[in-house]
Short mmCIF file of all heavy atoms in Angstrom, two decimals:
data_model
loop_
_atom_site.label_atom_id
_atom_site.label_comp_id
_atom_site.label_asym_id
_atom_site.label_seq_id
_atom_site.Cartn_x
_atom_site.Cartn_y
_atom_site.Cartn_z
N ALA A 106 -46.04 46.63 6.51
CA ALA A 106 -45.10 47.17 7.49
C ALA A 106 -44.33 46.05 8.19
O ALA A 106 -43.12 46.14 8.40
CB ALA A 106 -45.85 48.03 8.52
N ARG A 107 -45.04 44.99 8.54
CA ARG A 107 -44.36 43.85 9.18
C ARG A 107 -43.37 43.20 8.22
O ARG A 107 -42.29 42.77 8.62
CB ARG A 107 -45.39 42.82 9.65
CG ARG A 107 -46.19 43.27 10.87
CD ARG A 107 -47.17 42.21 11.31
NE ARG A 107 -47.96 42.65 12.44
CZ ARG A 107 -47.59 42.52 13.71
NH1 ARG A 107 -46.43 41.97 14.00
NH2 ARG A 107 -48.37 42.95 14.69
N ALA A 108 -43.76 43.10 6.95
CA ALA A 108 -42.86 42.51 5.96
C ALA A 108 -41.59 43.35 5.83
O ALA A 108 -40.47 42.81 5.71
CB ALA A 108 -43.57 42.39 4.61
N ILE A 109 -41.73 44.66 5.89
CA ILE A 109 -40.55 45.54 5.85
C ILE A 109 -39.68 45.30 7.07
O ILE A 109 -38.45 45.19 6.97
CB ILE A 109 -41.01 47.02 5.78
CG1 ILE A 109 -41.68 47.30 4.43
CG2 ILE A 109 -39.82 47.95 6.00
CD1 ILE A 109 -42.33 48.67 4.34
N HIS A 110 -40.30 45.19 8.26
CA HIS A 110 -39.53 44.98 9.49
C HIS A 110 -38.82 43.63 9.49
O HIS A 110 -37.62 43.54 9.79
CB HIS A 110 -40.46 45.07 10.70
CG HIS A 110 -39.82 44.67 11.99
ND1 HIS A 110 -38.91 45.47 12.65
CD2 HIS A 110 -39.94 43.54 12.75
CE1 HIS A 110 -38.50 44.86 13.75
NE2 HIS A 110 -39.12 43.69 13.83
N PHE A 111 -39.54 42.56 9.16
CA PHE A 111 -38.98 41.22 9.26
C PHE A 111 -37.97 40.91 8.16
O PHE A 111 -37.32 39.86 8.20
CB PHE A 111 -40.10 40.17 9.27
CG PHE A 111 -40.85 40.13 10.57
CD1 PHE A 111 -42.19 40.46 10.63
CD2 PHE A 111 -40.22 39.79 11.74
CE1 PHE A 111 -42.89 40.43 11.82
CE2 PHE A 111 -40.89 39.76 12.94
CZ PHE A 111 -42.23 40.09 12.98
N ASN A 112 -37.85 41.78 7.20
CA ASN A 112 -36.83 41.61 6.18
C ASN A 112 -35.75 42.68 6.29
O ASN A 112 -34.97 42.88 5.37
CB ASN A 112 -37.47 41.64 4.79
CG ASN A 112 -38.24 40.37 4.48
OD1 ASN A 112 -37.69 39.39 3.99
ND2 ASN A 112 -39.52 40.38 4.79
N SER A 113 -35.68 43.31 7.46
CA SER A 113 -34.67 44.35 7.71
C SER A 113 -33.64 43.84 8.71
O SER A 113 -33.74 42.73 9.24
CB SER A 113 -35.35 45.61 8.26
OG SER A 113 -35.78 45.40 9.60
N GLN A 114 -32.65 44.68 8.99
CA GLN A 114 -31.63 44.35 9.98
C GLN A 114 -32.19 44.39 11.41
O GLN A 114 -31.55 43.91 12.34
CB GLN A 114 -30.46 45.34 9.87
CG GLN A 114 -29.79 45.37 8.51
CD GLN A 114 -29.14 44.04 8.15
OE1 GLN A 114 -28.55 43.37 9.00
NE2 GLN A 114 -29.26 43.65 6.89
N ARG A 115 -33.38 44.92 11.56
CA ARG A 115 -33.99 45.07 12.89
C ARG A 115 -34.95 43.93 13.22
O ARG A 115 -35.70 44.02 14.19
CB ARG A 115 -34.74 46.40 12.97
CG ARG A 115 -33.87 47.63 12.75
CD ARG A 115 -34.72 48.89 12.65
NE ARG A 115 -33.92 50.08 12.47
CZ ARG A 115 -33.55 50.92 13.44
NH1 ARG A 115 -33.95 50.68 14.68
NH2 ARG A 115 -32.81 51.97 13.19
N LYS A 116 -34.97 42.89 12.44
CA LYS A 116 -36.02 41.87 12.56
C LYS A 116 -36.01 41.16 13.92
O LYS A 116 -37.04 40.63 14.34
CB LYS A 116 -35.90 40.84 11.44
CG LYS A 116 -34.61 40.05 11.42
CD LYS A 116 -34.58 39.12 10.23
CE LYS A 116 -33.27 38.33 10.16
NZ LYS A 116 -33.25 37.44 8.98
N LYS A 117 -34.88 41.14 14.63
CA LYS A 117 -34.83 40.48 15.94
C LYS A 117 -35.21 41.44 17.07
O LYS A 117 -35.23 41.05 18.23
CB LYS A 117 -33.44 39.92 16.19
CG LYS A 117 -33.08 38.76 15.26
CD LYS A 117 -31.73 38.16 15.61
CE LYS A 117 -31.40 36.99 14.69
NZ LYS A 117 -30.07 36.39 15.00
N GLN A 118 -35.48 42.67 16.74
CA GLN A 118 -35.86 43.69 17.72
C GLN A 118 -37.38 43.91 17.67
O GLN A 118 -38.06 43.39 16.80
CB GLN A 118 -35.10 44.98 17.44
CG GLN A 118 -33.59 44.83 17.46
CD GLN A 118 -33.07 44.29 18.79
OE1 GLN A 118 -33.61 44.62 19.85
NE2 GLN A 118 -32.04 43.45 18.73
N PRO A 119 -37.93 44.71 18.59
CA PRO A 119 -39.40 44.85 18.67
C PRO A 119 -40.02 45.48 17.43
O PRO A 119 -39.44 46.35 16.78
CB PRO A 119 -39.59 45.75 19.89
CG PRO A 119 -38.34 45.63 20.68
CD PRO A 119 -37.25 45.39 19.70
N PHE A 120 -41.23 45.01 17.12
CA PHE A 120 -42.10 45.65 16.13
C PHE A 120 -43.32 46.14 16.90
O PHE A 120 -44.12 45.35 17.38
CB PHE A 120 -42.50 44.67 15.03
CG PHE A 120 -43.44 45.26 14.01
CD1 PHE A 120 -42.96 46.08 13.00
CD2 PHE A 120 -44.80 45.00 14.06
CE1 PHE A 120 -43.84 46.63 12.06
CE2 PHE A 120 -45.67 45.54 13.12
CZ PHE A 120 -45.18 46.36 12.12
N VAL A 121 -43.46 47.46 17.03
CA VAL A 121 -44.50 48.05 17.89
C VAL A 121 -45.51 48.79 17.02
O VAL A 121 -45.14 49.59 16.15
CB VAL A 121 -43.87 49.02 18.91
CG1 VAL A 121 -44.95 49.65 19.79
CG2 VAL A 121 -42.85 48.28 19.77
N CYS A 122 -46.80 48.50 17.25
CA CYS A 122 -47.89 49.11 16.46
C CYS A 122 -48.60 50.17 17.27
O CYS A 122 -48.77 50.04 18.48
CB CYS A 122 -48.89 48.04 16.02
SG CYS A 122 -48.18 46.77 14.96
N MET A 123 -49.06 51.19 16.57
CA MET A 123 -49.80 52.28 17.23
C MET A 123 -50.81 52.84 16.25
O MET A 123 -50.46 53.22 15.13
CB MET A 123 -48.80 53.37 17.64
CG MET A 123 -49.45 54.61 18.20
SD MET A 123 -49.99 54.34 19.88
CE MET A 123 -50.93 55.82 20.16
N ASN A 124 -52.10 52.87 16.65
CA ASN A 124 -53.15 53.44 15.81
C ASN A 124 -53.41 54.87 16.28
O ASN A 124 -53.93 55.10 17.37
CB ASN A 124 -54.43 52.60 15.91
CG ASN A 124 -55.47 53.02 14.87
OD1 ASN A 124 -55.59 54.19 14.54
ND2 ASN A 124 -56.19 52.04 14.35
N CYS A 125 -53.04 55.83 15.47
CA CYS A 125 -53.15 57.24 15.86
C CYS A 125 -54.58 57.74 15.89
O CYS A 125 -54.86 58.79 16.47
CB CYS A 125 -52.32 58.10 14.90
SG CYS A 125 -50.56 57.68 14.88
N ALA A 126 -55.51 57.04 15.23
CA ALA A 126 -56.90 57.49 15.18
C ALA A 126 -57.70 56.99 16.37
O ALA A 126 -58.85 57.39 16.55
CB ALA A 126 -57.56 57.02 13.88
N ALA A 127 -57.11 56.12 17.20
CA ALA A 127 -57.89 55.47 18.26
C ALA A 127 -57.90 56.25 19.56
O ALA A 127 -58.65 55.92 20.47
CB ALA A 127 -57.33 54.07 18.51
N LEU A 128 -57.04 57.30 19.69
CA LEU A 128 -56.89 57.98 20.96
C LEU A 128 -57.02 59.49 20.80
O LEU A 128 -56.77 60.05 19.73
CB LEU A 128 -55.52 57.65 21.57
CG LEU A 128 -55.22 56.17 21.84
CD1 LEU A 128 -53.77 56.00 22.22
CD2 LEU A 128 -56.13 55.63 22.93
N SER A 129 -57.37 60.14 21.92
CA SER A 129 -57.40 61.60 21.94
C SER A 129 -55.97 62.14 21.92
O SER A 129 -55.00 61.39 22.09
CB SER A 129 -58.12 62.08 23.20
OG SER A 129 -57.39 61.69 24.35
N GLU A 130 -55.83 63.46 21.77
CA GLU A 130 -54.50 64.05 21.67
C GLU A 130 -53.66 63.77 22.91
O GLU A 130 -52.50 63.40 22.82
CB GLU A 130 -54.62 65.56 21.44
CG GLU A 130 -53.26 66.25 21.36
CD GLU A 130 -53.38 67.74 21.09
OE1 GLU A 130 -54.48 68.19 20.72
OE2 GLU A 130 -52.36 68.45 21.22
N GLY A 131 -54.26 63.95 24.10
CA GLY A 131 -53.51 63.73 25.34
C GLY A 131 -53.07 62.29 25.50
O GLY A 131 -51.92 62.01 25.86
N LEU A 132 -53.97 61.36 25.25
CA LEU A 132 -53.64 59.95 25.38
C LEU A 132 -52.66 59.51 24.30
O LEU A 132 -51.81 58.65 24.53
CB LEU A 132 -54.91 59.10 25.34
CG LEU A 132 -55.81 59.20 26.57
CD1 LEU A 132 -57.07 58.37 26.36
CD2 LEU A 132 -55.08 58.72 27.81
N LEU A 133 -52.78 60.09 23.11
CA LEU A 133 -51.86 59.74 22.03
C LEU A 133 -50.43 60.13 22.40
O LEU A 133 -49.48 59.36 22.20
CB LEU A 133 -52.28 60.43 20.74
CG LEU A 133 -51.37 60.21 19.52
CD1 LEU A 133 -51.29 58.73 19.18
CD2 LEU A 133 -51.89 60.98 18.32
N GLU A 134 -50.27 61.32 22.99
CA GLU A 134 -48.93 61.76 23.41
C GLU A 134 -48.38 60.84 24.50
O GLU A 134 -47.21 60.47 24.50
CB GLU A 134 -49.00 63.20 23.92
CG GLU A 134 -47.63 63.75 24.32
CD GLU A 134 -47.70 65.20 24.77
OE1 GLU A 134 -48.82 65.76 24.83
OE2 GLU A 134 -46.63 65.76 25.06
N SER A 135 -49.25 60.47 25.45
CA SER A 135 -48.83 59.56 26.52
C SER A 135 -48.43 58.20 25.98
O SER A 135 -47.45 57.61 26.41
CB SER A 135 -49.96 59.41 27.55
OG SER A 135 -49.66 58.40 28.48
N GLU A 136 -49.19 57.68 25.01
CA GLU A 136 -48.88 56.38 24.43
C GLU A 136 -47.57 56.42 23.64
O GLU A 136 -46.78 55.48 23.68
CB GLU A 136 -50.03 55.92 23.52
CG GLU A 136 -51.25 55.42 24.25
CD GLU A 136 -50.97 54.14 25.02
OE1 GLU A 136 -50.37 53.22 24.45
OE2 GLU A 136 -51.35 54.07 26.20
N LEU A 137 -47.34 57.51 22.93
CA LEU A 137 -46.13 57.61 22.11
C LEU A 137 -44.88 57.81 22.96
O LEU A 137 -43.85 57.16 22.74
CB LEU A 137 -46.26 58.75 21.10
CG LEU A 137 -47.03 58.47 19.82
CD1 LEU A 137 -47.18 59.75 19.01
CD2 LEU A 137 -46.35 57.39 18.99
N PHE A 138 -44.95 58.72 23.92
CA PHE A 138 -43.76 59.13 24.65
C PHE A 138 -43.71 58.62 26.09
O PHE A 138 -42.71 58.81 26.77
CB PHE A 138 -43.65 60.66 24.64
CG PHE A 138 -43.70 61.25 23.25
CD1 PHE A 138 -44.80 61.96 22.81
CD2 PHE A 138 -42.65 61.06 22.37
CE1 PHE A 138 -44.85 62.49 21.53
CE2 PHE A 138 -42.69 61.58 21.09
CZ PHE A 138 -43.79 62.29 20.66
N GLY A 139 -44.79 57.97 26.56
CA GLY A 139 -44.81 57.45 27.92
C GLY A 139 -45.18 58.53 28.94
O GLY A 139 -45.31 59.71 28.61
N HIS A 140 -45.34 58.12 30.19
CA HIS A 140 -45.66 59.08 31.24
C HIS A 140 -45.10 58.62 32.56
O HIS A 140 -44.78 57.44 32.76
CB HIS A 140 -47.18 59.30 31.36
CG HIS A 140 -47.94 58.05 31.75
ND1 HIS A 140 -48.72 57.35 30.87
CD2 HIS A 140 -48.04 57.39 32.93
CE1 HIS A 140 -49.26 56.31 31.48
NE2 HIS A 140 -48.87 56.32 32.74
N GLU A 141 -44.94 59.57 33.48
CA GLU A 141 -44.47 59.29 34.82
C GLU A 141 -45.66 59.11 35.76
O GLU A 141 -46.78 59.52 35.44
CB GLU A 141 -43.58 60.44 35.33
CG GLU A 141 -42.33 60.68 34.53
CD GLU A 141 -41.30 59.57 34.68
OE1 GLU A 141 -41.46 58.74 35.61
OE2 GLU A 141 -40.34 59.51 33.89
N LYS A 142 -45.40 58.52 36.90
CA LYS A 142 -46.45 58.33 37.89
C LYS A 142 -46.99 59.70 38.34
O LYS A 142 -46.22 60.61 38.66
CB LYS A 142 -45.90 57.58 39.10
CG LYS A 142 -46.92 57.33 40.20
CD LYS A 142 -46.28 56.59 41.36
CE LYS A 142 -47.30 56.36 42.47
NZ LYS A 142 -46.70 55.65 43.63
N GLY A 143 -48.32 59.85 38.33
CA GLY A 143 -48.95 61.09 38.75
C GLY A 143 -48.97 62.18 37.71
O GLY A 143 -49.35 63.31 38.01
N ALA A 144 -48.57 61.87 36.46
CA ALA A 144 -48.54 62.89 35.42
C ALA A 144 -49.94 63.40 35.10
O ALA A 144 -50.12 64.55 34.72
CB ALA A 144 -47.88 62.34 34.16
N PHE A 145 -50.94 62.57 35.27
CA PHE A 145 -52.32 62.95 35.05
C PHE A 145 -53.21 61.98 35.81
O PHE A 145 -52.73 60.98 36.35
CB PHE A 145 -52.67 62.96 33.56
CG PHE A 145 -52.29 61.69 32.83
CD1 PHE A 145 -53.12 60.58 32.84
CD2 PHE A 145 -51.08 61.61 32.15
CE1 PHE A 145 -52.77 59.42 32.19
CE2 PHE A 145 -50.71 60.45 31.49
CZ PHE A 145 -51.56 59.36 31.50
N THR A 146 -54.48 62.28 35.87
CA THR A 146 -55.42 61.41 36.58
C THR A 146 -55.42 60.02 35.96
O THR A 146 -55.61 59.87 34.76
CB THR A 146 -56.84 62.00 36.52
OG1 THR A 146 -56.82 63.31 37.08
CG2 THR A 146 -57.81 61.12 37.30
N GLY A 147 -55.19 59.03 36.77
CA GLY A 147 -55.14 57.65 36.28
C GLY A 147 -53.75 57.15 36.02
O GLY A 147 -53.56 55.95 35.77
N ALA A 148 -52.74 58.03 36.09
CA ALA A 148 -51.35 57.60 35.88
C ALA A 148 -50.81 57.06 37.19
O ALA A 148 -50.13 57.75 37.95
CB ALA A 148 -50.51 58.76 35.38
N THR A 149 -51.12 55.82 37.48
CA THR A 149 -50.77 55.21 38.77
C THR A 149 -49.35 54.69 38.83
O THR A 149 -48.88 54.27 39.87
CB THR A 149 -51.73 54.04 39.08
OG1 THR A 149 -51.67 53.10 37.99
CG2 THR A 149 -53.15 54.55 39.22
N GLY A 150 -48.66 54.70 37.71
CA GLY A 150 -47.28 54.22 37.69
C GLY A 150 -46.57 54.73 36.46
O GLY A 150 -47.15 55.32 35.55
#
């Protein structure tokens, strides 16, 4: 995947990794799409 990115037109932009098996459904959604302050317990910012 990194080889594909670094040989593409996007190579100077971010390469972001995410392991979908490492998180529960709620946390996976938060990691993928972000969250606002107070969206859930522990969302301090």
Side-chain angles (χ1 to χ4, degrees):
R107 287 181 182 273
I109 292 172
H110 172 74
F111 286 116
N112 286 273
S113 72
Q114 301 297 321
R115 300 172 179 262
K116 62 183 178 181
K117 293 184 179 179
Q118 302 302 324
F120 177 79
V121 179
C122 298
M123 174 77 189
N124 190 325
C125 300
L128 301 171
S129 64
E130 179 178 347
L132 289 177
L133 178 59
E134 183 178 3
S135 171
E136 284 294 313
L137 278 174
F138 306 109
H140 63 254
E141 298 290 347
K142 180 181 179 181
F145 51 83
T146 303
T149 57

